[in-house]
Structure formats: C-alpha cells, structure tokens
Amino acid sequence: MGIKIAVLASGRGSNFQSILDGIKEGDIDGKVVLLISDKRDAYALERARQNGIPTQVISRSECSSREEMNLKIKEALDRYSPDLVVLAGYMRIITDEFLIPYRNRIINIHPALLPSFPGLDRQKQAFEYGVKISGCTVHFVDGGCDTGPVIEQACVDIRECKSADEVCKKILPFEHKTMRGVVAKFSKGKYIVEGRKVRYEAD
Ligand code: GRF
C-alpha cells in the first residue's frame, strides 16, 4: 500500500501536483491521504478534490494564536497518521505543537540553495544579489526559518534571467523534480538524520 503522505499548501499547488504525478506514474509508492490549506481559495484544494483526496482548511483567522493553529494541524494529521508530511508552498510558521510530534517526518521545498536566501521572496533576493547559480532545496523542517537538515538540492543557472519572475519560472520545474524524487525515495527507504547530515538507506 506504500506510505501515507499528507500535504500542506497555501497556493496553486504545483509541487503538490508533482507528487500526485509521481504516484500516478509509479515513482512514488504511496498515496496522499490529506491536503491541508490555510487559504480557502488555494488552487491546491481544487487539485485535491479532483483526485478524491480529503481536504481541510485551517486558517489563521479562525484560530486565536499561531500555537492553536499548529495544534489543529497536528490533530488533523493524527486522524490519518501520515508517514510523511510535505510542506509544498505552505507559507506559515510551524510551531512545536506540530513540529515535535512530527519531527523528521516534515519536509519543505525552498526555491534557493540553502543556506543562501532563506525566508520569503528568495528568488527575488537571489536575482537582486546577482548570483549566477541558484536552485532549490528540500530539507527537513526544524524550529528555525529554513534551517533544517538538507535532504536534496538542485542547481539552476540563472544568469540569463532578466527578472525575479523569470528566476521563479526557471527554478520551478527543478522544484517539482527534486520534491518528487525525494518523496519517491522516502517511499522506498528511509532518510536518516545525523546532526546536520542526512543519509539514505533503501529498503
Ligand atoms: C514554490 O516556489 C515553493 O518553493 C515556494 O512557494 C512556491 C509554491 O508553488 N515555497 P506551488 O504552490 O507548489 O505551485
């Protein structure tokens, strides 16, 4: 039956789609059991519905604090006991209520080569800084802002890009490939975290 995957997304959900494609095409041995969004109008919700995946909206405005929001996420996840939780363009801070019980099972996709350009607007930061090579990083989530152990990275040459928007467009397909690849490997083995290092053991 493969692994149970839960996905959190705030927006269009193209990274979520890359996971769905990986499942359909047989690269990922598993299924998405739940899609959570903090935004009622996120297109990711529509993608989930089209694929018969249960959805839940947990918005910040309906919670009295960030901690309460994270507790609600944890409770929603607990009902499905996922093996892996993917933050696929989820634009909210994770707190201990959710992080501690799911430690080393939450991964995030970041559109820059960490530790360069953490936080928001990273493609814009990379463009404005004038770097020639950027890319994307899939990492475990810890208590910091994009500081968790790195699982996988891909380099993207952005020297021909004329705007931050072009950088976003150029990096996005690499995000999809890297995210899908990591989830596929996760479904067929395990990532072991040793300090800052992540190593992989196939089943
Ligand atoms: C991606 O660039 C992701 O790296 C960032 O937000 C964007 C989300 O895109 N965190 P999508 O919703 O997966 O299409």
Side-chain angles (χ1 to χ4, degrees):
M1 118 143 241
I3 59 165
K4 290 194 271 178
I5 305 161
V7 179
L8 276 75
S10 299
R12 78 196 143 176
S14 68
N15 278 286
F16 169 41
Q17 185 66 49
S18 77
I19 296 170
L20 295 175
D21 294 345
I23 294 169
K24 265 183 214 139
E25 289 161 25
D27 286 351
I28 297 172
D29 181 14
K31 66 178 206 169
V32 179
V33 292
L34 177 65
L35 184 281
I36 296 176
S37 184
D38 58 316
K39 298 263 185 278
R40 215 159 276 286
D41 60 351
Y43 188 63
L45 287 164
E46 183 55 32
R47 293 185 201 263
R49 287 182 203 117
Q50 284 168 7
N51 285 277
I53 295 164
T55 62
Q56 190 162 343
V57 175
I58 303 175
S59 68
R60 178 66 182 83
S61 60
E62 288 159 18
C63 302
S64 61
S65 65
R66 193 185 267 170
E67 287 70 25
E68 187 193 323
M69 182 180 189
N70 277 263
L71 187 60
K72 281 196 175 157
I73 293 170
K74 186 238 172 227
E75 287 167 355
L77 292 171
D78 285 351
R79 286 195 278 280
Y80 292 88
S81 42
D83 303 292
L84 178 66
V85 180
V86 180
L87 308 187
Y90 181 67
M91 311 305 273
R92 293 261 161 201
I93 303 277
I94 304 300
T95 65
D96 283 354
E97 286 72 15
F98 161 28
L99 179 62
I100 291 175
Y102 283 90
R103 188 176 285 280
N104 291 345
R105 275 187 287 165
I106 312 171
I107 65 172
N108 180 47
I109 176 79
H110 183 84
L113 287 176
L114 290 171
S116 293
F117 312 120
L120 295 175
D121 276 340
R122 25 298 136 120
Q123 299 98 326
K124 185 162 175 271
Q125 286 178 49
F127 177 71
E128 284 173 358
Y129 197 90
V131 295
K132 308 296 182 210
I133 305 291
S134 190
C136 62
T137 304
V138 175
H139 63 94
F140 280 109
V141 174
D142 67 5
C145 177
D146 302 319
T147 52
V150 172
I151 303 170
E152 195 57 75
Q153 293 185 300
C155 293
V156 182
D157 187 331
I158 61 166
R159 73 192 80 202
E160 302 298 329
C161 294
K162 305 265 182 300
S163 65
D165 197 46
E166 271 188 38
V167 175
C168 292
K169 288 204 180 89
K170 187 141 191 213
I171 292 176
L172 193 62
F174 290 85
E175 292 183 42
H176 299 159
K177 187 160 178 275
T178 310
M179 173 59 91
R180 173 175 166 160
V182 167
V183 176
K185 283 176 82 173
F186 206 104
S187 73
K188 294 168 186 163
K190 49 181 164 302
Y191 285 103
I192 298 153
V193 182
E194 289 164 344
R196 284 220 54 87
K197 301 275 168 61
V198 178
R199 115 185 123 71
Y200 182 69
E201 268 179 18
D203 281 342

